[in-house]
Amino acid sequence: MAVEVVNKKVLLRRYIEPGEAPTEGHMELVTTETIILKVPEASSSAVLVKNLYLSCDPYGRAIMSRPQRGSNHLSTPGLPVPGYGVAKVVDSTHPEFKAGDYVWGLTCWEEYSLITPKETLFKINYTDVPLSYYTGLLGLAGLTAYVGFHEISSPKEGEHVFVSAASGAVGQLVGQFAKLLGCYVVGSAGSDEKVNFLKDKFGFDEAFNYKKESDLDAALKRYFPEGIDIYFDNVGGAMLDAALGNMKLRGRVTVCGLISQYNLETVQGMRNFTLVIPKCIRLQGFNVLQYQHMYREFEEKVVKYVKEGTIKYLEDVAEGLEAAPASFVGLFEGQNIGKKLVVVARE
Ligand code: NAP
């Protein structure tokens, strides 16, 4: 007989409006709902999972915002917050998943989720590395760093690479991929502790605390007297503007994220944007969801790096589903040191 259990959830209480910073008040913990631990008979190709680790990501802000025209919107007030995570299959009517499988992909902020996997659920092939890595290093953040650096930035050995938000989930990996290729790598981050991790743990050549720099242009000239070949941008705004002023001829700017702009009603202008023409700068954005076909290739390579110890990964772990709202809000205040994730259950 199927068992019924309490299913704790974090619901979206109200949309995050333009110009608003996310707050814990945008979400709500509910502890009274229950779920039957069996896929309902009417649901074909569905998977019931127990969520183990949930990923906290800046794109959660877009997910929790009012739908825009043409956007692939996911959340609705009153329903659990959607997000990526690692889970164990409890029951399945989907041919590719069976009870006991570990999976990662799009789930919800709740203890158990009934999901209808499309292209957004992957079976975890390697259970001999920490499962939590599939929220970041071996999940979407890792694929973002891999694609953004290798596919979008056109890197060459010996080039000079600058990474912002460099100690975060994506940034720490971009820097390490660049070092593996023999590049000179400098990262910026928002605290001295993060800067030390960049140099001591991840092997960046140099790193600086951008919050202590009164002149970002001067800071970049100090670390790149001959200019930047690749700027991997995670933040946008003033840092992107300063980097544009320091790019070499035919430099590449990979626009991965613009976190400094997400909570503003109007995006800041760029003083140095006109330099894109005389310096022949290639500025390119990308969306990792369009590169999911590369996941297995990426996974094979990076699992090998992890097992060899070639790549290091720093996680910032919060305990319990109730910690999810504060963990998410903290991303926009730079509170996370490394990949932010929430442990819902360990098994
Ligand atoms: P993360 O770096 O682990 O966490 C966010 C970090 O951003 C914070 O720790 C903080 O670090 C920095 N930050 C927050 N507010 C800031 C501000 N106002 N100005 C400057 N820095 C600020 O996050 P992540 O998951 O690795 O994501 C990094 C970027 O990649 C984000 O912009 C995200 O939207 C983007 N992204 C893009 C794709 C894609 O497909 N293109 C996919 C995934 C992620 P400091 O303490 O160093 O300031």
Side-chain angles (χ1 to χ4, degrees):
M1 207 180 81
V3 184
E4 187 169 358
V5 295
V6 170
N7 191 17
K8 227 186 316 180
K9 300 169 179 226
V10 173
L11 309 183
L12 178 68
R13 182 183 277 158
R14 62 177 183 86
Y15 286 126
I16 307 168
E17 301 292 351
E20 268 191 335
T23 63
E24 290 182 55
H26 285 101
M27 294 154 268
E28 177 183 10
L29 182 74
V30 173
T31 56
T32 49
E33 293 194 19
T34 60
I35 186 168
I36 294 171
L37 295 184
K38 185 142 189 56
V39 174
E41 268 163 32
S43 309
S44 62
S45 289
V47 182
L48 180 78
V49 298
K50 179 177 184 180
N51 292 309
L52 303 178
Y53 301 99
L54 294 175
S55 173
C56 290
D57 298 281
Y59 56 73
R61 195 200 180 288
I63 286 178
M64 290 186 231
S65 298
R66 204 171 282 284
Q68 303 274 313
R69 235 183 49 206
S71 75
N72 212 352
H73 206 69
L74 291 166
S75 69
T76 308
L79 293 181
V81 173
Y84 279 75
V86 171
K88 188 172 185 179
V89 177
V90 175
D91 188 31
S92 170
T93 53
H94 191 289
E96 286 169 30
F97 302 98
K98 61 177 190 320
D101 283 348
Y102 291 99
V103 292
W104 78 269
L106 191 58
T107 177
C108 281
W109 288 13
E110 55 190 348
E111 289 176 306
Y112 295 90
S113 299
L114 180 67
I115 46 191
T116 313
K118 297 202 177 82
E119 68 277 18
T120 49
L121 197 69
F122 294 90
K123 192 171 163 204
I124 290 178
N125 291 331
Y126 296 93
T127 49
D128 52 348
V129 295
L131 279 178
S132 59
Y133 280 4
Y134 285 86
T135 63
L137 169 61
L138 294 169
L140 221 50
L143 185 62
T144 302
Y146 183 82
V147 163
F149 185 65
H150 292 293
E151 297 292 308
I152 311 291
S153 306
S154 311
K156 291 187 251 343
E157 186 181 347
E159 285 195 320
H160 288 201
V161 178
F162 174 49
V163 187
S164 54
S167 70
V170 174
Q172 58 176 295
L173 290 172
V174 173
Q176 291 182 81
F177 289 144
K179 283 309 302 172
L180 282 174
L181 192 66
C183 297
Y184 164 79
V185 186
V186 178
S188 65
S191 75
D192 291 347
E193 190 183 1
K194 292 183 182 186
V195 165
N196 289 339
F197 274 118
L198 292 177
K199 291 196 282 195
D200 301 341
K201 186 176 170 82
F202 304 128
F204 282 55
D205 295 287
E206 295 288 351
F208 64 93
N209 179 350
Y210 70 93
K211 289 183 179 164
K212 282 187 166 170
E213 300 287 344
S214 54
D215 182 342
L216 293 176
D217 177 63
L220 291 177
K221 287 202 162 47
R222 195 161 74 233
Y223 294 106
F224 296 96
E226 290 160 23
I228 301 168
D229 292 295
I230 294 170
Y231 171 40
F232 195 99
D233 187 19
N234 284 314
V235 303
M239 190 64 92
L240 172 57
D241 205 16
L244 283 173
N246 284 278
M247 298 305 292
K248 283 189 193 172
L249 189 67
R250 281 185 279 283
R252 283 133 275 149
V253 176
T254 296
V255 185
C256 174
L258 302 169
I259 194 167
S260 73
Q261 307 297 296
Y262 295 163
N263 296 335
L264 305 180
E265 196 149 9
T266 313
V267 171
Q268 287 171 315
M270 298 279 132
R271 273 186 316 123
N272 287 323
F273 191 70
T274 53
L275 294 174
V276 165
I277 298 168
K279 288 191 179 190
C280 308
I281 295 167
R282 196 183 76 202
L283 195 111
Q284 190 177 341
F286 71 102
N287 180 348
V288 66
L289 297 180
Q290 287 172 4
Y291 292 85
Q292 292 186 89
H293 58 280
M294 290 184 63
Y295 179 69
R296 292 299 177 196
E297 166 197 322
F298 151 82
E299 183 190 33
E300 289 303 316
K301 272 196 193 150
V302 177
V303 161
K304 188 166 159 284
Y305 287 148
V306 173
K307 289 185 178 173
E308 291 167 354
T310 313
I311 282 214
K312 310 266 188 298
Y313 203 58
L314 182 65
E315 296 181 325
D316 184 337
V317 180
E319 292 290 331
L321 184 64
E322 46 287 344
S327 299
F328 168 68
V329 169
L331 293 174
F332 297 86
E333 296 157 3
Q335 285 177 13
N336 60 307
I337 304 186
K339 168 66 201 165
K340 189 76 206 182
L341 66 108
V342 172
V343 183
V344 182
R346 284 201 156 75
E347 254 303 318

